[in-house]
Amino acid sequence: MDRRYFISSAVAIGAVAAFSRLPIGATLFSRPGNLRDGEGNSNQRSARAIKESSSKGIKKVTKTNAEWKSILTPEQYNVTREKGTERPFSSPLNDIHEQGIFECVACELPLFDSKAKFDSGTGWPSFYEPIAKENVHEEVDNSLWEARTEVVCARCDSHLGHVFPDGPKPTGLRYCMNGVALKFAKNAKDS
């Protein structure tokens, strides 16, 4: 590799990295749905992303912050809309071992079947797979010291938790979810 090529490549990579931190750079280099307004709120996903989710039978739910605050508890709002995290071992969903479905607390989209639930020992409800891959979106989360994979509801963009590659078979994944972002719907035949 010649020296000029190396230097010009390094300068170009550095410029892209610096440019991507500016507001216009973030717009150009971010994935749709990851954009934030000046108040830290997620902007609407791109028309293409909305069309894709609609084509899979998932109709988007959008509400203003005031509307979300009127239907969610303060803790639910903090987790689902502001990407907060509940305290470990605080969710009553950890102790649910009945058959049923875990839904998004904000829009009631079915997310996880109780058959995929397992005790990860982490203090949060954990699942090895979602009910349907299209019901959740996975996005890069660089908010801590390392990149993680954030899991959001495909219908309303609620923050649910994160997915890690240290789960059980058959997937090897651990969907580590905030209990306040979910609600449990017991199977009717088990009632």
Side-chain angles (χ1 to χ4, degrees):
M1 175 184 302
D2 87 37
R3 185 174 172 199
R4 284 185 194 165
Y5 177 78
F6 177 77
I7 292 172
S8 64
S9 296
V11 169
I13 291 170
V16 168
F19 187 71
S20 67
R21 297 194 188 280
L22 298 173
I24 190 164
T27 301
L28 295 174
F29 294 105
S30 294
R31 288 183 8 204
N34 288 347
L35 304 179
R36 305 231 168 254
D37 63 21
E39 297 174 1
N41 300 312
S42 293
N43 291 337
Q44 299 293 324
R45 291 191 180 275
S46 71
R48 190 183 101 219
I50 291 170
K51 183 178 178 186
E52 286 173 3
S53 67
S54 296
S55 68
K56 294 179 182 177
I58 298 175
K59 185 177 178 183
K60 295 300 282 186
V61 171
T62 56
K63 297 182 183 301
T64 65
N65 286 337
E67 289 172 319
W68 286 123
K69 285 181 180 179
S70 73
I71 63 171
L72 299 170
T73 68
E75 188 177 21
Q76 290 169 336
Y77 182 85
N78 173 258
V79 169
T80 61
R81 309 318 303 170
E82 297 176 329
K83 300 180 187 265
T85 302
E86 70 184 349
R87 288 186 342 270
F89 302 101
S90 65
S91 175
L93 297 185
N94 286 328
D95 300 323
I96 291 182
H97 303 289
E98 302 164 273
Q99 292 299 309
I101 303 296
F102 292 85
E103 301 174 339
C104 175
V105 73
C107 72
E108 300 180 341
L109 181 67
L111 299 171
F112 299 96
D113 191 305
S114 61
K115 293 174 186 167
K117 187 174 184 275
F118 68 98
D119 183 5
S120 64
T122 61
W124 290 280
S126 298
F127 306 86
Y128 60 79
E129 67 184 352
I131 283 180
K133 197 68 171 160
E134 61 267 13
N135 288 16
V136 297
H137 288 287
E138 296 176 6
E139 301 177 356
V140 176
D141 175 2
N142 290 310
S143 63
L144 293 179
W145 60 91
E146 65 181 344
R148 299 178 295 165
T149 304
E150 177 187 11
V151 179
V152 298
C153 174
R155 182 184 285 163
C156 67
D157 296 326
S158 286
H159 169 75
L160 303 169
H162 292 85
V163 62
F164 301 95
D166 60 1
K169 292 181 179 181
T171 65
L173 298 174
R174 174 174 52 95
Y175 285 82
C176 189
M177 303 292 98
N178 287 284
V180 297
L182 304 173
K183 67 180 186 175
F184 182 69
K186 189 174 177 178
N187 283 349
K189 66 180 179 178
D190 295 335
S191 299

